[in-house]
Amino acid sequence: MSQAAPSPAYLHLEDQIDLIGQKYRGQRILRGAMLWLGGFVVASFAAVLLAHFLGQGIGTRLVLAGWGTAAALTSWHWIVRPLLIRPDAVEVARFIESRVPGLHNGLTNGLLLARRADIAQSPWLPEIYEEIARTAQGKPLGGAVKIRDLGPLTLRLLILVTPLLLLAALLPKPFVHGFHQLFSPSAFVPKVGAAEIIDVQPGDATVVAGQPLEITLVARCPGNPKARLIFDKGPGADAAATALAGAELSPSTLVDAGQRPDQRSDLQYNYRVDHVDQPARYRVEVAGTQSPWYTITAVRQVKLSELEIHVQPPPYTGQSAQTLTIKAADVAKANVIVPQGSKVELSAAVDVAVGGAMLQAGEAQPIAMDASGAGRRFTASFPVLDETPVAVLLTQGGKQIIARLPDDALVIHCIKDQPPVVEMKWPTQDVSVAPDAELKIRALLKDDYGIASSRITMAVEDASAPTAAGVASEEKGTPQLASVRDESYPPGAGVKEPRELIFILPVKPEQRKHGNTVRVQVEATDGRNLVSVMPSSADSKDTGGAQTTRSPIFTIKFEDPAVIAKAQQDRDEKLRERLTELLKMQHALHEQTLAARPDNREPYLKISTG
């Protein structure tokens, strides 16, 4: 038998030790994970509590560094190292011999003999290996590594960790605060106590230097605790400047505690700083609950440099756009006049950079303005439909108004588009004409920005048309006016000079009879188009569309001269006959008067009655 190759007995022992070594390695990794997890919980518990009590500062930074270092080192020692480094076979053999009785260091000695090069050719080695194999063959080597061996360690870890977890569950506020503070050691993390801070106004604010500041706190608290207001110097404050003095605030109750199931009241605390001259920051504390730090930025008084107004009239007016630049000193005397429906783009330049601005145009809600020039120029556009005072509201933080410019609002005057004018030249009133007369309609049409179209409507009423029985002639149905002439005009018609409208009414010969009437009306429509900018409202009938003006309805009556002359002659003859009768009566009374005697009363009575 050659001694160059290991004996079968040794190979069998080596395979058994390697298999048990894998289980042993897994057990070590699991044990290390359990130890690391338990240590991590305890270390985290201690680090969070320390961060809670230490707060913002170098102490919390050191705690975070120690906690992170400990977590890294223990994870290397207990988890990563067993994963990367396999246990030595001799170490595994000694572990097996310590757990399985009766082996008498045979496994360890066999492995050590196999590593001795000076006795590798000894004829006694195979016999030794056979002896060791026979001794180990009857032993439960696989039972040397058992997962249940970790039971005592698990119990001890649970006894250690469970109270900590229960304490964190019962008192979560210190641990939540400490957790956030641990991972933000350089930032102030507010503590949460018995109170709930609902609102702090104005929060982060920008004020004009020298102006007052009012701080309001609303908190939901048990009882009526006082609140502490804490000030500190803000970023950018002068080194020689002193922080504002803090204060203790007494509450005023908003909602009575009896109205809430948790017996807590909504309390309001107010404090006024007479003037703020330097940047500062502040926070409040009430019943163990802290607010975050709020920043007060003090800026010098913002002044208006200039206003630039770009006016784009409605396209239908035909007017070109114009740009006006108004210096701050000239705003009070500026006279800005624009056509109704114009789009006005207003740009305001200020001498100090600010956070934002809104445009207040009339009574509408303020609209945000676009910023440019590093916060020194703001632009917004809006339609003008009426007299519109405009002002720029400078803001900080998107909502707090710190200034209103200009001091007196600039008024943009609006020229409204008036309806067209129809000036009748003929007829100007109800007229009578001969049946063969030419009915020539004449009118002058005018408008602010141009007449778009005109229309002439008419209706002929036949006087000889039969009427229903019992219906008076004035109650007959009146024919509806119908269009007899529609005309469109080029842009700008009737603006500088009135547009003359001349048209001969198309009355048929058979309609030109004595007594017939023609009713006529002239309409003019302008080109107004403000539909896109006019607000739609159920109360307003003006939708911004074209405007139409109608003249009165004039009546033209046909009268035949011969018929008129004959009727006049008949009236004259009837009058002559009546006057002749009166004259004869007067002659008879005159004769009776002459024949009567003064002492006879009866003739005078007859004369008087006559």
Side-chain angles (χ1 to χ4, degrees):
M1 178 179 177
S2 173
Q3 299 296 323
S7 69
Y10 173 77
L11 293 177
H12 178 69
L13 289 174
E14 189 179 45
D15 289 341
Q16 282 189 304
I17 292 173
D18 183 67
L19 180 62
I20 297 172
Q22 295 299 325
K23 294 176 62 177
Y24 177 61
R25 184 186 182 195
Q27 186 190 57
R28 287 182 61 188
I29 293 173
L30 181 58
R31 176 178 179 274
M34 293 171 61
L35 289 171
W36 181 86
L37 182 60
F40 179 79
V41 171
V42 174
S44 299
F45 184 87
V48 166
L49 282 184
L50 285 173
H52 170 70
F53 290 110
L54 292 175
Q56 174 187 2
I58 186 66
T60 302
R61 290 196 189 97
L62 294 175
V63 171
L64 177 62
W67 175 81
T69 302
L73 292 177
T74 54
S75 64
W76 165 260
H77 179 72
W78 282 333
I79 300 177
V80 178
R81 191 168 174 269
L83 282 172
L84 299 178
I85 302 175
R86 300 179 63 178
D88 185 70
V90 175
E91 180 185 353
V92 176
R94 287 177 179 156
F95 175 77
I96 296 173
E97 291 168 350
S98 68
R99 306 299 295 270
V100 179
L103 296 177
H104 307 295
N105 298 329
L107 299 178
T108 304
N109 293 333
L111 294 176
L112 292 175
L113 289 173
R115 295 179 182 181
R116 293 283 298 272
D118 55 338
I119 61 173
Q121 301 300 324
S122 174
W124 303 103
L125 284 180
E127 294 297 333
I128 295 173
Y129 292 146
E130 290 290 343
E131 180 65 25
I132 295 173
R134 285 193 297 271
T135 302
Q137 186 174 5
K139 305 296 183 181
L141 301 183
V145 180
K146 300 176 182 177
I147 297 298
R148 65 172 177 267
D149 292 340
L150 299 177
L153 176 62
T154 303
L155 181 61
R156 287 194 295 270
L157 290 177
L158 288 176
I159 293 174
L160 178 64
V161 171
T162 301
L164 301 182
L165 296 178
L166 289 175
L167 181 61
L170 294 175
L171 301 173
K173 293 180 180 179
F175 295 95
V176 172
H177 171 262
F179 179 82
H180 289 94
Q181 187 67 74
L182 180 65
F183 290 99
S184 301
S186 301
F188 174 76
V189 178
K191 295 181 180 179
V192 178
E196 177 188 354
I197 294 179
I198 298 174
D199 188 30
V200 179
Q201 291 294 337
D204 294 328
T206 296
V207 298
V208 178
Q211 295 297 314
L213 174 70
E214 293 188 356
I215 298 174
T216 301
L217 163 66
V218 178
R220 188 165 296 161
C221 315
N224 292 283
K226 290 188 175 182
R228 289 181 58 211
L229 179 61
I230 303 169
F231 286 99
D232 194 5
K233 291 195 295 185
D238 295 340
T242 58
L244 296 171
E248 281 197 352
L249 311 178
S250 297
S252 59
T253 304
L254 297 180
V255 178
D256 186 68
Q259 299 180 17
R260 296 188 181 278
D262 56 3
Q263 296 298 305
R264 294 195 300 174
S265 304
D266 285 354
L267 306 178
Q268 179 172 311
Y269 303 81
N270 301 297
Y271 187 75
R272 175 184 172 88
V273 181
D274 292 333
H275 57 86
V276 178
D277 301 315
Q278 294 287 334
R281 61 178 191 159
Y282 71 96
R283 63 182 178 87
V284 292
E285 293 184 5
V286 55
T289 301
Q290 300 172 327
S291 75
W293 284 103
Y294 297 103
T295 301
I296 303 171
T297 304
V299 298
R300 65 184 179 91
Q301 186 175 6
V302 185
K303 294 183 179 179
L304 180 69
S305 299
E306 67 175 20
L307 290 175
E308 185 177 283
I309 301 175
H310 180 76
V311 180
Q312 180 64 57
Y316 83 92
T317 64
Q319 297 185 6
S320 58
Q322 59 176 330
T323 300
L324 306 174
T325 301
I326 306 173
K327 297 297 182 182
D330 300 329
V331 171
K333 54 185 178 182
N335 187 24
V336 182
I337 303 175
V338 302
Q340 186 183 35
S342 297
K343 180 182 178 182
V344 174
E345 184 180 84
L346 184 142
S347 295
V350 294
D351 63 342
V352 177
V354 294
M358 296 187 296
L359 179 66
Q360 177 73 65
E363 297 181 356
Q365 289 293 326
I367 58 175
M369 303 182 74
D370 297 328
S372 60
R376 293 174 179 267
R377 192 174 191 87
F378 301 92
T379 305
S381 59
F382 59 97
V384 175
L385 300 173
D386 211 331
E387 297 286 299
T388 306
V390 295
V392 178
L393 310 178
L394 302 181
T395 63
Q396 188 69 29
K399 59 181 181 179
Q400 184 189 8
I401 299 174
I402 62 172
R404 179 187 179 94
L405 300 176
D407 296 333
D408 296 325
L410 172 69
V411 178
I412 297 180
H413 302 283
C414 174
I415 300 178
K416 294 188 177 181
D417 187 353
Q418 299 299 322
V421 175
V422 178
E423 182 183 351
M424 295 299 299
K425 293 300 183 180
W426 194 90
T428 58
Q429 60 183 1
D430 294 344
V431 296
S432 296
V433 298
D436 58 351
E438 183 182 57
L439 306 184
K440 182 184 288 186
I441 304 300
R442 293 181 62 246
L444 297 179
L445 311 180
K446 296 180 289 185
D447 188 67
D448 300 338
Y449 303 110
I451 298 293
S453 63
S454 66
R455 171 180 293 183
I456 299 176
T457 58
M458 79 167 195
V460 178
E461 185 175 357
D462 191 349
S464 62
T467 60
V471 179
S473 61
E474 61 269 14
E475 297 177 358
K476 294 186 298 180
T478 303
Q480 295 294 322
L481 296 176
S483 175
V484 294
R485 170 69 179 271
D486 289 280
E487 185 175 1
S488 298
Y489 301 99
V495 177
K496 295 182 178 179
E497 294 183 358
R499 186 79 174 196
E500 186 174 21
L501 175 64
I502 300 177
F503 181 68
I504 299 175
L505 295 180
V507 181
K508 298 177 182 179
E510 60 271 18
Q511 294 175 323
R512 293 173 172 269
K513 295 188 297 185
H514 178 81
N516 286 1
T517 58
V518 178
R519 294 183 299 116
V520 63
Q521 187 178 47
V522 177
E523 298 180 3
T525 302
D526 63 10
R528 189 178 73 154
N529 184 7
L530 301 177
V531 176
S532 60
V533 295
M534 277 283 195
S536 58
S537 172
D539 298 332
S540 176
K541 297 180 179 180
D542 189 357
T543 61
Q547 303 176 106
T548 299
T549 299
R550 296 177 176 84
S551 71
I553 298 177
F554 297 105
T555 300
I556 304 173
K557 185 176 182 180
F558 290 117
E559 292 187 348
D560 191 337
V563 175
I564 295 174
K566 184 177 184 305
Q568 184 65 39
Q569 183 179 1
D570 292 342
R571 287 195 297 273
D572 293 344
E573 182 64 25
K574 291 180 180 179
L575 177 60
R576 188 185 64 79
E577 292 176 357
R578 181 58 178 161
L579 291 175
T580 300
E581 292 177 357
L582 291 175
L583 185 58
K584 289 180 180 179
M585 185 182 300
Q586 289 176 350
H587 280 297
L589 292 174
H590 179 65
E591 291 177 354
Q592 292 178 14
T593 303
L594 292 177
R597 294 195 306 271
D599 55 348
N600 190 354
R601 184 171 176 268
E602 291 184 4
Y604 289 104
L605 291 175
K606 293 179 180 180
I607 294 171
S608 174
T609 302

